[in-house]
């Protein structure tokens, strides 16, 4: 989300906030940047179970926004919307890590699905589709995709490393600019291999699945916006997204074996 040039009343609010922490100016800035919270809540919620409240995610995101307002340093020449985005997303993910939001029922269902996948792959000697798994277990295809995507997201949250210090945006900037950690050449090589294999896997997806993933992760469109572009309902776009992630998840997990 691009930030418009700061001018007029907004500049006055920033001046007052940075100089004296004026509460009215702070409230005005919070109101202006609230769409950033909504944006990240919507994107993260797309991969979460339905029982996770968007209001809870919004509250976590608000902590990130307020934290970014208190810690923002204009002298670092980093745009506030960029800085706040890291803080908001980090606050939401940190909050999710502290809660076991994946229910016991979902975990048990995921184990059954994983067992069925292993059994079918041994039988057919190839990767199996969510439809084949669903038929094996007497489940809906969408239920298979949703369950495995939720479990995959939970596993990613449990192992993902995130910075909580003030230099978090600087670390991200180094990644964007291509600066590397010379102390870990093996990790860089592994990362390149994973990216290469993932790119090949994405090319194996259907044209529609590739388009949905591209619009969602590269163009940062919401599922509703993608539906408008493609002339499909939001629920249909969600199904396409889930099926594509299911396929990619299987490929990534095989790389870790």
């Amino acid at each position: 989300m691009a930030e418009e040039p700061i001018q007029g009343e907004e500049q006055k609010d920033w001046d007052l906030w940075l100089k004296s922490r004026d509460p009215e100016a702070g409230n005005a800035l919070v109101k202006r940047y609230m769409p950033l919270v909504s944006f990240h809540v919507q994107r993260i919620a797309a991969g979460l179970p339905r029982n996770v409240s968007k209001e809870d995610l919004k509250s976590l995101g608000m902590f990130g926004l307020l934290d970014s307002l208190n810690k923002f340093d204009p002298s670092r020449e980093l745009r506030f919307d960029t800085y706040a985005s890291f803080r908001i997303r980090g606050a939401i993910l940190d909050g999710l890590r502290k809660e076991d939001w994946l229910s016991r029922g979902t975990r048990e269902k995921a184990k059954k699905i994983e067992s069925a996948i292993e059994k079918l792959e041994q039988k057919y000697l190839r990767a199996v589709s969510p439809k084949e798994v669903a038929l094996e277990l007497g489940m809906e295809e969408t239920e298979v995709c949703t369950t495995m995507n939720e479990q995959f997201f939970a596993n990613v949250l449990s192992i993902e490393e995130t910075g909580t210090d003030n230099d978090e945006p600087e670390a991200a900037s180094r990644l964007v600019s291509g600066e590397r950690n010379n102390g870990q050449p093996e990790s860089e090589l592994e990362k390149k291999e994973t990216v290469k294999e993932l790119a090949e896997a994405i090319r194996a997806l259907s044209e529609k699945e590739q388009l949905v993933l591209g619009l969602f992760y590269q163009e940062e469109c919401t599922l509703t916006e993608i539906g408008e572009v493609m002339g499909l309902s939001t629920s249909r776009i969600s199904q396409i997204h889930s099926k594509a992630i299911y396929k990619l998840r299987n490929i990534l997990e095989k790389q870790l074996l």
Side-chain angles (χ1 to χ4, degrees):
M1 297 178 68
E3 183 180 27
E4 297 174 1
I6 297 178
Q7 54 187 322
E9 288 299 317
E10 185 188 353
Q11 184 62 63
K12 291 179 182 178
D13 289 332
W14 271 115
D15 292 341
L16 284 169
W17 175 251
L18 294 172
K19 183 178 180 180
S20 60
R21 289 297 191 257
D22 181 85
E24 289 188 11
N27 289 335
L29 291 172
V30 167
K31 185 176 180 180
R32 173 176 173 77
Y33 289 101
M34 268 299 295
L36 274 178
V37 175
S38 300
F39 174 78
H40 288 290
V41 164
Q42 189 167 11
R43 288 186 63 75
I44 292 173
L48 295 176
R50 287 183 289 273
N51 65 294
V52 179
S53 167
K54 283 190 177 181
E55 286 303 312
D56 290 343
L57 298 185
K58 187 175 180 181
S59 296
L60 292 170
M62 280 299 300
F63 281 117
L65 177 58
L66 294 173
D67 185 50
S68 62
L69 278 172
N70 285 321
K71 294 179 178 177
F72 182 59
D73 180 2
S75 67
R76 296 170 71 180
E77 298 183 351
L78 187 70
R79 295 193 320 185
F80 178 76
D81 62 340
T82 302
Y83 180 84
S85 287
F86 288 120
R87 290 278 171 199
I88 292 166
R89 187 174 184 278
I92 295 172
L93 294 179
D94 283 343
L96 287 170
R97 287 188 197 97
K98 293 172 184 175
E99 298 292 333
D100 187 13
W101 49 264
L102 200 61
S103 68
R104 179 179 297 178
T106 300
R107 291 187 187 280
E108 291 176 352
K109 194 186 298 181
K111 288 181 180 178
K112 284 177 58 179
I113 294 172
E114 285 180 333
S115 296
I117 291 173
E118 185 176 354
K119 174 185 173 183
L120 292 173
E121 287 184 341
Q122 289 176 353
K123 178 180 179 181
Y124 297 122
L125 300 178
R126 60 170 173 78
V128 292
S129 69
K131 184 175 182 180
E132 290 171 321
V133 178
L135 287 172
E136 173 72 15
L137 295 174
M139 296 168 61
E140 293 290 332
E141 182 179 350
T142 53
E143 187 178 8
V144 170
C145 289
T146 300
T147 301
M148 297 312 291
N149 291 345
E150 290 172 0
Q151 189 221 30
F152 182 54
F153 192 88
N155 290 341
V156 170
L157 280 177
S158 67
I159 63 175
E160 185 182 73
E161 294 179 4
T162 57
T164 55
D165 298 325
N166 289 346
D167 64 348
E168 180 183 346
E170 290 180 340
S173 296
R174 288 199 297 272
L175 289 175
V176 172
S177 65
E179 189 175 322
R180 307 209 182 276
N181 184 342
N182 294 326
Q184 297 179 327
E186 296 87 354
S187 297
E188 288 299 329
L189 184 60
E190 289 174 4
K191 188 186 297 182
K192 286 182 180 179
E193 284 299 313
T194 300
V195 170
K196 180 181 177 182
E197 288 158 356
L198 184 56
E200 291 174 355
I202 290 174
R203 284 195 289 271
L205 299 177
S206 71
E207 191 174 316
K208 193 173 291 185
E209 289 168 341
Q210 289 185 47
L211 179 57
V212 168
L213 292 185
L215 289 172
F216 190 76
Y217 293 104
Q218 290 182 296
E219 303 302 324
E220 298 192 334
C221 296
T222 65
L223 296 181
T224 301
E225 290 169 339
I226 296 171
E228 292 174 356
V229 170
M230 297 178 66
L232 298 170
S233 67
T234 303
S235 60
R236 178 59 183 144
I237 295 299
S238 179
Q239 289 173 358
I240 295 171
H241 175 269
S242 292
K243 193 169 182 179
I245 295 298
Y246 170 90
K247 292 179 181 178
L248 295 179
R249 168 195 162 276
N250 283 341
I251 293 169
L252 283 175
E253 289 196 342
K254 284 180 174 59
Q255 303 303 329
L256 298 175
L257 295 178

